[in-house]
Amino acid sequence: MNQLFPQSGIGIEFRNGNFHGVYCKSFWKNFREIDRMEIRDYQRLGPRECGRLYREFLRRQGLKSPWTVVALARSQVLLRALRFPRGMEQELARAVEYQLDALHPFEEGSVAWSHAIWALSDGAKAGASGGNGGRTQSSETQVLVAIAQKQYIEELADWFREAEIPVSQFSVTTTLLLGYLEAGIAAQLRTGKPYFLLHATEQGMELLGCAAEKGLVSREIPLTAEAPPEADEIVALIGKELDSAHSEMRLVSDDRPRVHCCGEGWLPESAAESAHLPFHAVPVVAGASLNREDIAGVAAAYAASHRRGPLSLNLLPAERRSFQPRLAYAPTYALSGLLVVLAMAMGLRGSVQDWIYSRYLERERQALLPGIQELEKLHSANQDTLAHLASLEAFRRSGGLPLDLLDELTRTLPADAWLQQLQYEGNTVTMSGTATSASAVLQAVSSSIYLEAAQFSSALNRTPEGKEVFRIGARLRAQIP
């Protein structure tokens, strides 16, 4: 599959108790590995420490949340093949779900599953996943169904969530390898010969076989590292499963069929040169090791950078998937740049308009300047006249009114009252002094024709002679009769 735009992705696999991550990029027909990481004994370190180391790896690559595919061990996933009549591509999901309970030994509703079409076109091409895959020349469509227990999927998803590692896809190693080796498989089938892939892991081996219009077969060979069989026994088991695969696909047995090998080193490197084996062992990639162990991680990274590639199974629930492409904010940035340009244009437009308008106002001001200067002179003269009149009025009020008020107070205050101070500020009058009866003084002030609202402004005191010391505040009447 050719990529029109550069795509990047990360593949993750757990192998030999270690965490492996592979970062790859693809563009057009090129696919290359950029970097990789390994966390040894990841279970001892715990999810948080693994997450910290993984995020450092992402930061070094300038990534935040790329499409990330986790390769699930074949031992944890059941892989079943179903056949349906052609033309059912749009109804495959419902058809598979109808038969799902018969495909696994677990309780109903306790599994997660995903399906993809395995199709061969013109006897040479492996089809894409889902209803968008290629169609065969036969009347049937073969569908691969991956089934895993929900508990296993949820526990693994929880581990990634606790580690704060964003993941996008859980897929089984088998289908990842088939997608990664699609071109090699197509090239082999064009020769008219079947394609066999032997993938070895810690738990054993899996033999995959496919042929034009014959579909896909999978045979498992369980092995244990605690009690590893002899090399002759392994070869005999592989030869037996090869015969079974030929029989299942109804092929004529080949004397020494080519078997593409990868994974754990169950077979010695010398097997590639041996002519005594019942098969011809070759590496999956020309020039690579016969026991290339990192093939699953690279295949997962390939699937991450070819998200619509063949057999793109995904067992991770949709709500747990995380992905943020590098160009996710490109439309936002483009729109922001456009807004900035428009804002600059609008700002420049306003400045030009303001400059033109200011020139117009300046011309009008110069035309009106003689009249304005004449009005300013008249206004200044009026202000001087008003200030002079105000001064005369203040002088009149401040000079005449206190004398009249004093004259009235002299006539109305009790004979024994003595004013010590009289303050006159604006329309407020404050007087203080002594008298035998301060109340009589307050009554006299209240009856004044010049004052109103008379009241004591402080507490009364007594002199040693027994007279009352008062302080009275009053307000000038607005209209004096």
Side-chain angles (χ1 to χ4, degrees):
M1 176 179 293
N2 298 332
Q3 298 282 2
L4 296 179
F5 300 99
Q7 300 286 349
S8 59
I10 291 183
I12 294 177
E13 68 164 327
F14 300 96
R15 174 167 34 90
N16 297 327
N18 301 326
F19 178 104
H20 297 270
V22 182
Y23 172 43
C24 296
K25 282 186 177 181
S26 64
F27 176 61
W28 194 238
K29 295 182 180 180
N30 297 322
F31 173 76
R32 62 190 180 96
E33 178 181 326
I34 305 300
D35 199 1
R36 61 174 56 227
M37 70 169 299
E38 178 182 6
I39 303 177
R40 293 187 174 274
D41 198 7
Y42 75 96
Q43 290 182 330
R44 179 183 61 82
L45 294 178
R48 295 188 179 276
E49 179 63 15
C50 291
R52 185 186 66 80
L53 296 174
Y54 181 80
R55 288 189 295 276
E56 289 181 359
F57 173 73
L58 290 184
R59 281 194 291 270
R60 288 199 303 270
Q61 310 304 327
L63 302 173
K64 186 175 182 181
S65 180
W67 190 272
T68 304
V69 177
V70 180
L72 303 182
R74 179 67 173 84
S75 59
Q76 298 292 341
V77 182
L78 298 176
L79 195 62
R80 300 288 186 256
L82 299 177
R83 293 182 181 273
F84 296 98
R86 284 184 60 184
M88 289 189 59
E89 286 81 357
Q90 302 299 326
E91 302 293 332
L92 280 181
R94 295 177 59 184
V96 172
E97 187 176 10
Y98 182 76
Q99 301 187 32
L100 186 63
D101 291 338
L103 302 179
H104 64 85
F106 309 115
E107 295 182 3
E108 182 179 356
S110 64
V111 296
W113 63 278
S114 182
H115 75 285
I117 291 179
W118 172 255
L120 299 175
S121 178
D122 299 327
K125 184 178 179 182
S129 65
N132 298 323
R135 297 180 179 179
T136 67
Q137 298 296 323
S138 66
S139 61
E140 292 182 325
T141 298
Q142 187 175 30
V143 178
L144 298 184
V145 183
I147 304 171
Q149 289 186 283
K150 276 186 179 179
Q151 181 180 356
Y152 167 72
I153 297 297
E154 292 294 334
E155 288 177 355
L156 187 58
D158 289 341
W159 188 92
F160 279 103
R161 182 175 60 184
E162 185 178 352
E164 297 182 7
I165 297 177
V167 292
S168 315
Q169 183 177 347
F170 284 175
S171 193
V172 61
T173 303
T174 302
T175 57
L176 292 174
L177 289 174
L178 291 174
Y180 176 57
L181 301 172
E182 176 192 13
I185 294 174
Q188 176 84 4
L189 296 184
R190 278 194 292 268
T191 65
K193 294 183 179 181
Y195 184 94
F196 291 102
L197 172 66
L198 182 66
H199 180 225
T201 64
E202 308 165 58
Q203 294 80 21
M205 295 182 174
E206 181 181 17
L207 178 67
L208 298 171
C210 60
E213 300 186 12
K214 299 297 182 180
L216 178 73
V217 297
S218 172
R219 314 289 299 184
E220 295 186 56
I221 306 174
L223 300 173
T224 58
E226 290 77 10
E230 297 293 333
D232 293 340
E233 296 180 44
I234 296 177
V235 170
L237 290 173
I238 296 173
K240 178 181 177 181
E241 295 302 333
L242 276 172
D243 292 338
S244 299
H246 276 94
S247 298
E248 188 172 343
M249 291 188 293
R250 300 178 183 178
L251 299 173
V252 178
S253 296
D254 196 346
D255 290 339
R256 292 194 70 212
R258 289 168 60 92
V259 177
H260 300 77
C261 303
C262 62
E264 295 287 332
W266 293 104
L267 286 176
E269 289 289 338
S270 59
E273 307 296 333
S274 176
H276 302 289
L277 297 179
F279 55 90
H280 183 197
V282 296
V284 291
V285 180
S289 169
L290 192 67
N291 299 311
R292 183 179 178 181
E293 296 185 1
D294 65 344
I295 188 70
V298 175
Y302 180 87
S305 60
H306 296 75
R307 294 186 283 278
R308 299 184 181 275
L311 296 175
S312 186
L313 295 166
N314 196 347
L315 292 169
L316 182 65
E319 64 275 8
R320 296 288 193 105
R321 300 171 190 175
S322 176
F323 172 56
Q324 181 176 318
R326 285 186 170 184
L327 299 179
Y329 297 111
T332 303
Y333 295 150
L335 182 58
S336 299
L338 179 61
L339 290 176
V340 169
V341 172
L342 290 176
M344 292 175 62
M346 291 296 294
L348 183 60
R349 175 175 176 269
S351 300
V352 172
Q353 287 183 334
D354 290 345
W355 179 76
I356 295 174
Y357 187 60
S358 64
R359 293 290 301 274
Y360 168 76
L361 291 179
E362 181 63 23
R363 288 195 300 270
E364 293 295 319
R365 192 185 74 83
Q366 292 295 335
L368 297 175
L369 186 58
I372 294 174
Q373 291 176 345
E374 185 64 27
L375 290 175
E376 288 179 348
K377 290 179 181 180
L378 293 175
H379 179 69
S380 177
N382 289 337
Q383 290 295 107
D384 293 341
T385 303
L386 290 176
H388 183 64
L389 292 174
S391 299
L392 292 176
E393 177 64 19
F395 177 75
R396 185 190 68 82
R397 292 180 59 88
S398 61
L401 184 60
L403 294 178
D404 295 340
L405 177 60
L406 288 173
D407 180 63
E408 182 192 48
L409 291 176
T410 302
R411 289 184 287 102
T412 58
L413 289 180
D416 57 353
W418 178 260
L419 285 182
Q420 297 174 336
Q421 186 178 19
L422 177 66
Q423 293 181 342
Y424 172 65
E425 294 182 8
N427 64 344
T428 303
V429 176
T430 304
M431 61 189 74
S432 59
T434 59
T436 304
S437 175
S439 299
V441 176
L442 179 62
Q443 184 177 2
V445 174
S446 299
S447 61
S448 172
I449 62 174
Y450 299 103
L451 302 175
E452 61 180 357
Q455 58 182 355
F456 291 113
S457 57
S458 64
L460 298 178
N461 296 317
R462 288 187 178 275
T463 63
E465 293 80 10
K467 290 189 177 184
E468 294 180 341
V469 180
F470 62 85
R471 184 178 177 84
I472 298 174
R475 187 174 62 247
L476 293 175
R477 295 182 184 274
Q479 294 183 351
I480 300 174

